[in-house]
Amino acid sequence: MDIFSNLALGFGEVLSLQTLFYCFVGVTVGMLIGVLPGIGAMAAISMLLPITFYLEPSQALIMLAGIYYGAQYGNSIASILLNTPGTPSGAITCLDGYPLAQQGRAGAALFMTTFSSFAGSCFAIVCLAAFTPVIADFALGFGSAEYFALMVFGLVLASTVAPGSQIKGLVMVVIGLVLGLVGTDITSGTFRFTFGLLNLGDGLNLVAVAMGVFGAAEVINNLSRSSSDRGAARAVALRELIPLKSDLKQMIKPMLRAAPIGTFLGVLPGAGATIASFVAYGVETRVAKDRSRFGKGAIEGITAPETANNAAAQGGFIPTLALGIPGDAVMALMLGALLIHGVNPGPQLIGEHPEIFWGLLASFWVGNLMLLVMNIPLIGIWVKILAIPYKYLFPGILMLICVGVYSVNNNPFDLLVVFVFSVIGYLMVLARLSPAPMMLGIVLGPMMEENFRRAMLLSRGDATVFLEKPVCAALLGLTLLVLVWPLIPMLMRRMRRPKRRLRAKTLK
């Protein structure tokens, strides 16, 4: 079937009333979560993941995906009106969005960010439709050794590309891999790292860990902060939403530059929407004739990052669906949701479950169109929601977390897991450790182990199997290069020091 026939299959899947309803719920919740500072899409997906267990796999994935890219739309509202980003990727929008609001142009800024978000998403969706099947066909020739090497490369790249210390990122990956080993050995069937607790026999509950590390920990962190610095959002009239002709002209080129940047960085493990928005903003400051405008309400300063972060949100689905390798923690939860429904992401997904892949792809068009239509009329409601005090908002979130976790297995032990990992997650925040690499390690750990042991069994214990196959050797070589590359500047500086000292002595 050609791409048009596949898209027809996808739209036939998504345009049913029930699927449209779940798509609408997903994008609406996502936009609300994006508006509310400090919660994030990860916490929302964690809370709603148990609900999706009772849905069809395609409906579950469509709703969760809607939450993810819906949050990218909503983050600009709090960034522009309050100077407080709803999600990390919206932080860069504050630099020029809030000055525009102070100039009385908040409505126009919100309209432009909404349109830019839609444009970035559309570009990434086209890339998703064009390249994911090609990548999947190429990956069909992968064996256990190639998959193991690909997962190692993805984890290392995620830990080094993500913001923060690379060493800390690698440490979090290792911790995640160790936590992923908890449970039953896939070969011998014996318990390991369970410390005599039968509840750990099936491993750590992914939903409970995610809710603890991302949901409850974020609530604790936000409650520990003072809300006195929180801005006051003002009402935005509909007539203020109309941008000037000069604004529309200034939008086009930044959008054309930011869309491919966001899509490319969304595909890379560990990069994601946050890095994409910062890179797109940096590119605009480089190419601008007058850099002094940035930080004072430049149109490029809001359209470029919003285009990039939405393109990255869609682009992240390419490696997740085509290879079964999640690029970030949100994609790891998406992968976990599919596995819970008995669907294995990877090269076989498009062939075995075309209705899921093409239905999800079609839902991106439908969901982004819903967001484009809803975002502007609902601005007044989002402004009122922003006025809700944190002390009333967060207890409700904690209640939803507890109910959601308990509903998965009806096991009180999962609530204990949430409590433990909420404390761990809060300590990570204080230590400035990113929990995202750890979540990737937990999800990919069992898969890495399975592929490693299978490759070793097929090669009868010969470890050179990982170097004999070209793709496997290339991936491991790239992994080594990623690890060594940051050390090169430091080694070059050390090599220059003796030369400088020698020159200083000769001058004396």
Side-chain angles (χ1 to χ4, degrees):
M1 298 198 319
D2 59 14
I3 189 170
F4 296 104
S5 301
N6 290 324
L7 285 174
L9 173 66
F11 279 107
E13 179 75 17
V14 77
L15 291 179
S16 66
L17 289 177
Q18 195 173 16
T19 307
L20 280 174
F21 170 75
Y22 289 119
C23 182
F24 175 78
V25 170
V27 297
T28 305
V29 171
M31 188 158 55
L32 172 61
I33 292 301
V35 169
L36 295 174
I39 300 177
M42 190 70 199
I45 291 174
S46 301
M47 286 187 287
L48 293 180
L49 187 58
I51 299 175
T52 64
F53 298 162
Y54 307 100
L55 306 179
E56 294 293 326
S58 60
Q59 294 173 350
L61 197 62
I62 285 170
M63 188 174 79
L64 295 177
I67 295 172
Y68 181 42
Y69 59 81
Q72 307 304 322
Y73 274 77
N75 66 26
S76 60
I77 297 175
S79 299
I80 292 171
L81 297 179
L82 296 178
N83 200 30
T84 305
T87 62
S89 61
I92 198 73
T93 308
C94 296
L95 297 180
D96 289 280
Y98 189 64
L100 277 171
Q102 290 178 315
Q103 297 167 17
R105 306 201 59 212
L110 290 169
F111 178 87
M112 287 184 283
T113 55
T114 301
F115 188 79
S116 300
S117 300
F118 181 74
S121 299
C122 288
F123 180 87
I125 293 168
V126 172
C127 294
L128 186 64
F131 296 114
T132 303
V134 177
I135 296 172
D137 289 340
F138 173 73
L140 283 173
F142 280 22
S144 299
E146 286 88 354
Y147 268 111
F148 171 77
L150 183 62
M151 291 176 190
V152 172
F153 175 66
L155 284 175
V156 171
L157 192 62
S159 64
T160 54
V161 174
S165 170
Q166 297 179 359
I167 296 177
K168 288 181 179 179
L170 287 171
V171 169
M172 296 308 296
V173 166
V174 173
I175 292 174
L177 291 174
V178 173
L179 292 174
L181 296 176
V182 174
T184 306
D185 186 278
I186 58 174
T187 303
S188 64
T190 57
F191 286 178
R192 57 187 182 184
F193 305 112
T194 59
F195 304 101
L197 299 173
L198 293 177
N199 286 298
L200 292 177
D202 292 329
L204 290 168
N205 186 332
L206 178 65
V207 179
V209 174
M211 285 191 180
V213 172
F214 291 97
E218 281 298 317
V219 171
I220 297 171
N221 182 43
N222 281 281
L223 288 175
S224 65
R225 296 176 181 174
S226 173
S227 60
S228 58
D229 297 331
R230 194 180 183 189
R234 68 173 186 85
V236 179
L238 286 176
R239 64 177 178 273
E240 297 179 19
L241 298 174
I242 303 173
L244 303 174
K245 288 184 179 180
S246 59
D247 296 336
L248 297 176
K249 289 181 180 178
Q250 289 177 295
M251 287 173 57
I252 297 174
K253 289 183 179 179
M255 286 165 49
L256 293 175
R257 285 189 288 263
I261 291 173
T263 304
F264 174 73
L265 291 175
V267 173
L268 293 179
T274 302
I275 291 179
S277 60
F278 278 83
V279 170
Y281 188 88
V283 169
E284 291 308 311
T285 59
R286 294 280 183 180
V287 300
K289 295 180 180 178
D290 182 11
R291 299 183 186 179
S292 63
R293 295 185 300 107
F294 287 88
K296 300 176 183 178
I299 302 302
E300 303 95 316
I302 59 173
T303 55
E306 288 300 314
T307 302
N309 67 34
N310 281 273
Q314 313 286 344
F317 285 90
I318 294 177
T320 304
L321 298 176
L323 302 174
I325 308 297
D328 56 23
V330 176
M331 291 297 108
L333 269 189
M334 297 288 183
L335 188 144
L338 282 174
L339 292 175
I340 290 170
H341 281 280
V343 179
N344 293 318
Q348 303 287 348
L349 174 66
I350 299 175
E352 295 178 356
H353 303 280
E355 72 285 354
I356 293 179
F357 174 77
W358 293 106
L360 177 65
L361 189 65
S363 76
F364 290 160
W365 291 104
V366 175
N368 279 281
L369 188 60
M370 285 181 179
L371 286 165
L372 182 65
V373 175
M374 291 191 307
N375 205 19
I376 296 172
L378 291 178
I379 286 173
I381 297 175
W382 303 137
V383 170
K384 292 179 181 179
I385 291 174
L386 286 171
I388 299 175
Y390 285 162
K391 62 180 179 180
Y392 300 123
L393 185 65
F394 287 127
I397 294 174
L398 286 174
M399 182 187 70
L400 289 174
I401 288 173
C402 293
V403 172
V405 168
Y406 184 76
S407 66
V408 176
N409 297 317
N410 294 327
N411 188 354
F413 181 80
D414 292 338
L415 297 177
L416 178 62
V417 174
V418 172
F419 172 75
V420 171
F421 276 92
S422 65
V423 176
I424 294 173
Y426 180 61
L427 294 176
M428 287 181 186
V429 172
L430 295 180
R432 297 183 178 180
L433 295 171
S434 174
M438 184 187 76
M439 283 300 301
L440 289 177
I442 293 175
V443 173
L444 290 181
M447 299 167 63
M448 280 182 61
E449 180 193 10
E450 181 180 356
N451 283 286
F452 175 77
R453 296 175 77 166
R454 185 183 296 148
M456 292 297 288
L457 285 171
L458 292 174
S459 65
R460 297 182 180 181
D462 186 6
T464 59
V465 67
F466 297 106
L467 300 176
E468 291 174 351
K469 298 185 176 182
V471 175
C472 187
L475 287 170
L476 291 177
L478 287 172
T479 304
L480 183 62
L481 181 63
V482 169
L483 289 171
V484 174
W485 187 262
L487 301 177
I488 294 176
M490 183 180 65
L491 294 174
M492 291 181 68
R493 284 195 298 269
R494 289 188 176 182
M495 291 173 63
R496 289 171 184 168
R497 285 176 186 173
K499 293 181 180 179
R500 290 175 181 173
R501 291 174 183 173
L502 182 61
R503 288 176 184 173
K505 289 181 180 179
T506 53
L507 290 173
K508 291 180 180 179

